[in-house]
């Protein structure tokens, strides 16, 4: 078990820990070498965590957490966790996901818990240590199985609030794994709550029948295999298609206003760039590795390609 590196840290015993796509990419050796300078070895994976604190602590929201209380982890190791004062501009603004000091402070490099040698991770049977700025209490009525999804839900909410969706826009979601399904749910729930604009339609590219069913249940207007998604976008946007059949590689004269790519592969990014309208936005939510993509359509159609990582303060201070 790791030792607390400074005051304000507490030991956490994991109850459940999710398996993120970034974890699988790391284990498969597919992660980008970009991350080498902001991780430290050896690290224990696991950043989607629900656990119990071993001692009294004060959570990130100022609520006192008694020993044995259940908590979820905000895993990004920002300035507060690193003991850096004054904090970087991003952390000062509440955008901890964009912290500029991920390799500094009184712990070794690590963009998140689960990628840092000093913190441990959720996959450990001996537990991990977390800073008070990372801890949020779990309400009594929320099950462990639901609480462990809080971290990916937060990523989906961040992606939706950060996407420039206007009222009546056509939105395409590529990928219906956990993150893609959560993005679909966030689109519907946030629109219903008045926290984001309501799309005219949400079109989903989902590989498997159970993903297509879940995508429709969570608010997708249509859910169909990825190679048929461009056809649906063409139909809804009343676009023409050129440069090949109206499938994955076809370019549309118009297209979706916003494409949310929850895969992050060369194929998915290519498909996104071909079915977004000129001056539309592709939000890259799925973690990419080192990919080769033809960016000519991004240049020619003046498309905005924007990443969506972790969490932070969005419009109107949310």
């Amino acid at each position: 078990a790791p030792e607390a590196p400074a005051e304000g840290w507490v030991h956490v015993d994991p109850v459940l820990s999710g398996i993120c796509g970034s974890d699988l990419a790391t284990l498969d050796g597919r992660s980008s070498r970009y991350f080498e300078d902001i991780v430290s070895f050896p690290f224990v994976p696991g950043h989607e965590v629900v656990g119990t604190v071993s001692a009294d602590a004060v959570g990130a929201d100022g609520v006192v957490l008694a020993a044995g209380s259940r908590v979820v982890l905000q895993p990004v190791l920002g300035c507060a966790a690193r003991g850096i004062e004054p904090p970087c501009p991003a952390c000062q603004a509440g955008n901890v996901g964009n912290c500029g000091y991920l390799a500094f402070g009184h712990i070794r490099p690590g963009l998140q818990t689960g990628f840092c040698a000093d913190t441990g991770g959720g996959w450990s049977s001996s537990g991990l240590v977390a800073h008070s700025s990372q801890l949020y209490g779990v309400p009594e009525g929320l099950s462990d199985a639901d609480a462990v999804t809080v971290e990916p839900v937060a990523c989906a909410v961040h992606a939706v609030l950060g996407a420039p969706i206007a009222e009546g826009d056509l939105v395409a979601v590529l990928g219906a794994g956990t993150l893609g399904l959560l993005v679909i749910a966030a689109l519907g729930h946030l629109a219903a709550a008045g926290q984001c604009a309501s799309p005219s339609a949400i079109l989903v590219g989902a590989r498997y029948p159970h993903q297509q069913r879940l995508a429709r249940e969570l608010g997708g207007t249509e859910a169909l295999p990825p190679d048929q998604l461009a056809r649906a976008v063409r139909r809804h946007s009343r676009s023409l298609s050129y440069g090949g059949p109206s499938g994955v590689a076809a370019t549309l004269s118009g297209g979706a206003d916003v494409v949310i790519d929850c895969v992050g592969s060369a194929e998915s990014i290519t498909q996104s760039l071909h079915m977004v309208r000129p001056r539309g936005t592709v939000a890259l939510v799925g973690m990419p590795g080192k990919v080769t993509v033809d960016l000519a359509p991004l240049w020619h159609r003046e498309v905005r390609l924007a990443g969506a990582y972790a969490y932070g303060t969005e419009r109107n201070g949310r």
Side-chain angles (χ1 to χ4, degrees), residues 38 63 84 143 152 154 166 177 212 228-229 235 244 248 254 286 309:
I38 49 176
V63 174
I84 295 175
S143 70
Q212 295 166 21
Q228 297 179 28
L229 181 58
R235 184 171 66 253
V248 174
Y309 163 72

Side-chain angles (χ1 to χ4, degrees), residues 129-170:
V129 289
H131 188 260
S132 60
S133 64
Q134 299 179 272
L135 301 175
Y136 291 86
V138 177
E140 187 174 338
L142 195 66
S143 70
D144 293 338
D146 286 338
V148 79
T149 69
V150 166
E151 193 276 342
V153 168
C155 291
V157 169
H158 176 70
V160 170
L161 290 178
I165 300 171
E167 196 72 23
D169 273 358
L170 176 61

